[in-house]
Amino acid sequence: MEDQQKDITIYDIARKLDLSPATVSRGLKDHPAIKKETRKRIKDAAMKMGYQNNLFASNLRTKKTNTIGIIVPRLNSYFMSSVISGMESVVNARGYNLIISQSQEAFEKEIVSANTMFNSRVDGLLVSLAYDTQNIDHYEVLLKKKIPVIFFDRVVDHPRCTNIVIDNAKAGYDAVHHLLEQGCKRIVYIGGNLKRNVYADRLKGYKLALAESGIPFDESLVIINTLNEQGGQDAAQKILEMKQKPDGIFAANDSSAVACMQEMKAAGIRIPTDIAVVGFNNDPISRIIEPNLTTINYPGYEMGEIAATTLINAINSAPGSTINTLVLRHQLIVRESSLRR
Amino acid sequence: MEDQQKDITIYDIARKLDLSPATVSRGLKDHPAIKKETRKRIKDAAMKMGYQNNLFASNLRTKKTNTIGIIVPRLNSYFMSSVISGMESVVNARGYNLIISQSQEAFEKEIVSANTMFNSRVDGLLVSLAYDTQNIDHYEVLLKKKIPVIFFDRVVDHPRCTNIVIDNAKAGYDAVHHLLEQGCKRIVYIGGNLKRNVYADRLKGYKLALAESGIPFDESLVIINTLNEQGGQDAAQKILEMKQKPDGIFAANDSSAVACMQEMKAAGIRIPTDIAVVGFNNDPISRIIEPNLTTINYPGYEMGEIAATTLINAINSAPGSTINTLVLRHQLIVRESSLRR
DNA sequence: GTGAAAGCGCTAACAT
DNA sequence: ATGTTAGCGCTTTCAC
């Protein structure tokens, strides 16, 4: 009997304390117009009676939800977990809730997720685009209502959205420049859909580094796929079948780099002697594979923190945030997989 | 000007169609009492006017939120991502939303998360306990309101909660039995806090397998720590310092097993010749480490699906769900790290 | 410093 | 088959 009781409301507290609901509401919120002592009485009573703020009622009134949405391609990478972790830490500290949705790397599902977020009336949205997202019309409905949308990692230019990224072109350049320094002449790039800035920009860096060394760009050395384990294996297959063997690989993520290395090792290729390899992300697996994988450190946790902070600032300041792009620092981490001298 | 317009409500639709708000509300919900044709008119108008259901208003009325909460220790493991993925798939299909919170393996933070979930008025809660959670009093407030709570993986017995697990004792037995078959005589167990069923039960299985082979249990072969990378390294250190070297290791997760292997390899120990190793979870890293790690396959995705389905059933059927424990199938996967004959 | 009253948008019991 | 009405619990303007 004593479970399933009705919820305590501010009316119950008001009655008990012989105050008006309005005063109770104010007292609970530490409104300065209420006497300190009254405030204390109210809070004590609320505590004792097991009062619990009804978010739906207040959201209905105030039209703020204190909820932030996140749409990511997938949760299952070390990078993404770090990002989410960073977001959670700032969001919680600022009193917001988080709802997370996975697009499963699919455009269609991303649209559904965006609508769900809209219907849940999130105060703001953090997005990393799916692999094959074609356009971002599905975010217009939020933007039209001045709900800020911030893109991170896999971003797209939009006049009203801030982007949080690393300098992918520079990172790609750093990776390939390093391979060239190690004496590589024929370097394969394994990347994802070039619609995604991260893969396109890393390719730009690749090209720039080659150009700088006077090496002509060779289309046939660019392999595009989904960059998962299967993708890495497929890439290895392609490389093994090349008539003119490459001597370096720059892969746009560590999972594909590792899968590719395993396949090549199984085929008797020595790394780095025959082929030097550089990955991307500094995933823990880069320190498990043998030889340990040279990679680009990607500050996921910090990216999450910054994206969330920027979003909350945008939510709380009326005018369209003026920051266009925020670029975090990356770093080449050299390990054995690429060391040839 | 045309952005930031006021939301369209059922009143707007009612006025436009010369109907009552009640009829519109019913029409939108496909209430059978409304003429098919009227329903269509209502829906068309809603679509055209850009109507969007206000969840707060309906939640306030109905006291159902269509939201399910998840509390997990951490998001950053392959296992957890798989579980969440499985949950998301069924939850979405059934029209529920998901809110996810990480306890960061800390009791204190788990309490906060539980309260947040309660305040968000989730319809049900899926929980895997933090490393050092002492008791589950913080879920009583939900249970008292008949909000179903289901534990998965790291569970605890409670008369009103269903548990979704694998048979950890049997899995531990399988792992150790396999090591014994391979000729191991002194087997180390690396596990986590024995307050957690998963680690306690795996230890039980370990003991049982030893007992069966007539090998006396040796307390000094049990290493308890946090099972992360650091934990694995620490365990390796301890093992290297043992006067009487063990010839087998059963680690309660793959990350610690892998970190331990790396440390031992660096110290010149040969695996499996000097020491055979078995891990737990079938994390992708088990196929990256060399030699590939023998492990227990843990069906994370399925566990997520089943936990979510069970929860939704509990939400929709008034009486206390009668299922107490649901046990999924596990499987020993033998790879090179343990093969000595 | 506190109270009265209206209304956020929706639903459901009760009419008709 | 549709309409009337009341109310979910909270916030906030205006009054005192």
Side-chain angles (χ1 to χ4, degrees):
Chain A
M1 281 302 100
E2 41 133 1
D3 43 25
Q4 192 75 306
Q5 343 85 329
K6 254 195 82 278
D7 287 346
I8 305 292
T9 73
I10 52 171
Y11 289 93
D12 299 322
I13 302 180
R15 207 170 316 120
K16 174 126 172 191
L17 261 42
D18 211 14
L19 287 168
S20 79
T23 306
V24 174
S25 173
R26 293 190 183 105
L28 256 9
K29 293 260 137 68
D30 259 331
H31 191 113
I34 307 293
K35 236 195 314 201
K36 273 247 166 73
E37 190 211 305
T38 316
R39 272 189 255 170
K40 177 144 176 34
R41 275 176 60 222
I42 293 173
K43 287 193 191 163
D44 288 349
M47 179 67 81
K48 213 170 66 214
M49 301 171 68
Y51 168 78
Q52 184 202 7
N53 180 22
N54 186 321
L55 288 178
F56 300 120
S58 28
N59 289 344
L60 179 59
R61 273 289 326 221
T62 61
K63 317 210 157 201
K64 279 205 80 190
T65 65
N66 267 34
T67 297
I68 286 176
I70 305 183
I71 300 180
V72 294
R74 284 235 157 80
L75 243 28
N76 66 354
S77 68
Y78 173 79
F79 169 68
M80 233 8 127
S81 321
S82 311
V83 171
I84 304 265
S85 203
M87 290 175 173
E88 225 220 352
S89 68
V90 330
V91 153
N92 274 3
R94 302 270 227 122
Y96 284 83
N97 266 121
L98 221 46
I99 74 181
I100 304 176
S101 180
Q102 307 186 62
S103 63
Q104 308 285 11
E105 296 283 15
F107 185 25
E108 286 308 320
K109 208 166 172 259
E110 185 180 313
I111 296 178
V112 174
S113 294
N115 286 328
T116 304
M117 292 297 173
F118 181 57
N119 284 322
S120 306
R121 289 189 154 68
V122 293
D123 290 341
L125 190 56
L126 297 162
V127 180
S128 184
L129 296 174
Y131 189 81
D132 64 349
T133 292
Q134 303 289 327
N135 61 60
I136 53 165
D137 299 347
H138 44 302
Y139 297 111
E140 286 304 325
V141 54
L142 292 136
L143 293 169
K144 213 171 248 165
K145 285 229 191 317
K146 303 261 192 261
I147 297 168
V149 176
I150 287 186
F151 295 99
F152 64 93
D153 185 44
R154 308 224 285 224
V155 305
V156 66
D157 274 327
H158 186 290
R160 286 155 89 174
C161 300
T162 301
N163 286 345
I164 321 276
V165 289
I166 60 167
D167 186 339
N168 285 288
K170 180 63 167 49
Y173 173 88
D174 291 348
V176 176
H177 181 72
H178 166 71
L179 285 171
L180 293 166
E181 272 183 351
Q182 298 297 312
C184 297
K185 302 279 182 230
R186 273 181 74 72
I187 301 173
V188 166
Y189 171 62
I190 307 178
N193 188 343
L194 295 180
K195 277 226 167 72
R196 292 289 75 81
N197 64 303
V198 290
Y199 306 123
D201 289 353
R202 288 167 201 177
L203 179 57
K204 272 185 209 150
Y206 165 93
K207 288 182 179 172
L208 180 61
L210 290 190
E212 236 185 53
S213 297
I215 301 182
F217 174 66
D218 179 350
E219 186 82 49
S220 73
L221 293 177
V222 173
I223 300 177
I224 301 295
N225 64 38
T226 53
L227 293 185
N228 49 17
E229 194 177 336
Q230 185 62 51
Q233 290 165 359
D234 293 350
Q237 251 5 83
K238 279 200 182 167
I239 292 169
L240 291 171
E241 285 163 14
M242 290 180 179
K243 317 114 285 222
Q244 214 185 337
K245 287 276 173 299
D247 53 10
I249 297 176
F250 167 43
N253 77 19
D254 287 341
S255 343
S256 65
V258 163
C260 181
M261 283 169 75
Q262 291 193 293
E263 201 76 2
M264 315 254 302
K265 280 167 69 180
I269 308 278
R270 288 160 307 168
I271 298 169
T273 323
D274 299 331
I275 288 200
V277 183
V278 177
F280 210 107
N281 280 2
N282 196 19
D283 190 294
I285 58 170
S286 63
R287 287 177 292 114
I288 295 174
I289 185 75
E290 292 183 22
N292 278 194
L293 179 61
T294 294
T295 188
I296 303 282
N297 186 47
Y298 198 135
Y301 188 88
E302 290 77 8
M303 179 169 276
E305 285 184 314
I306 290 173
T309 308
T310 310
L311 181 67
I312 293 178
N313 290 343
I315 291 172
N316 294 321
S317 68
S321 133
T322 48
I323 300 176
N324 182 23
T325 306
L326 235 152
V327 183
L328 304 196
R329 226 173 291 285
H330 66 270
Q331 195 184 355
L332 178 72
I333 298 181
V334 178
R335 301 208 184 93
E336 301 91 67
S337 74
S338 66
L339 280 181
R340 313 223 284 181
R341 7 194 92 165
Chain B
M1 280 307 96
E2 43 134 358
D3 43 25
Q4 193 73 308
Q5 340 86 327
K6 254 195 81 280
D7 287 346
I8 306 290
T9 72
I10 52 171
Y11 289 93
D12 300 322
I13 302 179
R15 207 171 315 118
K16 175 126 170 191
L17 262 42
D18 211 15
L19 287 168
S20 80
T23 306
V24 174
S25 172
R26 294 190 184 105
L28 257 8
K29 296 257 141 68
D30 260 332
H31 190 115
I34 307 293
K35 237 196 311 201
K36 271 245 166 74
E37 190 210 306
T38 316
R39 272 189 253 171
K40 178 148 176 31
R41 275 176 61 223
I42 293 173
K43 285 192 192 165
D44 288 349
M47 179 67 82
K48 213 171 65 216
M49 300 170 71
Y51 168 78
Q52 185 202 5
N53 180 20
N54 186 321
L55 288 178
F56 301 120
S58 28
N59 289 345
L60 179 59
R61 271 289 329 218
T62 61
K63 316 211 160 200
K64 279 205 80 192
T65 64
N66 267 33
T67 298
I68 286 175
I70 305 183
I71 300 180
V72 294
R74 284 235 158 77
L75 244 26
N76 66 355
S77 67
Y78 173 79
F79 168 68
M80 231 13 125
S81 320
S82 311
V83 171
I84 305 267
S85 204
M87 290 175 174
E88 226 219 351
S89 68
V90 328
V91 153
N92 275 3
R94 302 269 226 123
Y96 284 82
N97 266 121
L98 220 48
I99 75 181
I100 304 175
S101 180
Q102 307 186 61
S103 62
Q104 309 285 9
E105 297 282 17
F107 184 26
E108 285 308 320
K109 204 155 180 272
E110 184 179 313
I111 296 178
V112 174
S113 294
N115 285 327
T116 304
M117 293 298 175
F118 181 58
N119 283 321
S120 305
R121 287 186 155 69
V122 293
D123 290 341
L125 190 56
L126 297 162
V127 179
S128 183
L129 295 173
Y131 189 80
D132 64 348
T133 292
Q134 303 289 328
N135 61 62
I136 53 166
D137 298 346
H138 43 302
Y139 297 111
E140 285 304 326
V141 54
L142 293 136
L143 293 170
K144 212 171 249 166
K145 286 228 189 322
K146 302 260 192 261
I147 298 168
V149 176
I150 286 186
F151 294 99
F152 64 92
D153 185 45
R154 307 223 285 223
V155 305
V156 66
D157 274 327
H158 186 290
R160 285 157 89 174
C161 301
T162 301
N163 286 346
I164 321 276
V165 289
I166 60 167
D167 186 340
N168 284 288
K170 181 63 166 51
Y173 173 88
D174 291 348
V176 175
H177 181 72
H178 165 71
L179 285 170
L180 293 167
E181 272 184 350
Q182 298 298 313
C184 297
K185 302 278 181 229
R186 272 181 76 73
I187 301 173
V188 167
Y189 170 63
I190 307 178
N193 188 343
L194 295 180
K195 277 225 166 75
R196 292 290 75 81
N197 63 303
V198 289
Y199 307 123
D201 289 353
R202 290 168 201 177
L203 179 58
K204 271 185 211 149
Y206 165 95
K207 288 181 180 173
L208 180 60
L210 291 191
E212 238 185 52
S213 297
I215 301 182
F217 173 66
D218 178 351
E219 185 82 51
S220 73
L221 293 177
V222 173
I223 300 177
I224 301 296
N225 65 37
T226 53
L227 294 185
N228 51 15
E229 195 178 334
Q230 185 62 51
Q233 290 165 359
D234 293 350
Q237 251 5 84
K238 278 201 184 167
I239 291 170
L240 291 170
E241 284 164 14
M242 289 179 178
K243 315 113 287 218
Q244 212 184 338
K245 288 273 175 298
D247 53 11
I249 297 177
F250 167 44
N253 78 18
D254 287 341
S255 343
S256 65
V258 163
C260 182
M261 283 168 77
Q262 291 193 293
E263 202 75 3
M264 314 254 303
K265 280 167 69 180
I269 308 279
R270 289 162 305 169
I271 298 169
T273 325
D274 298 332
I275 288 199
V277 183
V278 177
F280 210 107
N281 279 1
N282 197 19
D283 189 294
I285 59 170
S286 63
R287 286 178 293 115
I288 295 175
I289 185 73
E290 293 183 20
N292 278 196
L293 179 61
T294 294
T295 187
I296 302 282
N297 185 48
Y298 198 134
Y301 188 88
E302 289 76 9
M303 179 170 276
E305 285 184 315
I306 289 172
T309 307
T310 310
L311 181 66
I312 293 178
N313 290 343
I315 290 173
N316 293 321
S317 68
S321 132
T322 47
I323 299 174
N324 181 25
T325 307
L326 235 151
V327 182
L328 305 195
R329 225 174 292 285
H330 67 270
Q331 194 183 357
L332 177 73
I333 298 181
V334 178
R335 303 208 184 94
E336 301 91 68
S337 73
S338 65
L339 280 182
R340 314 223 284 181
R341 8 192 94 163

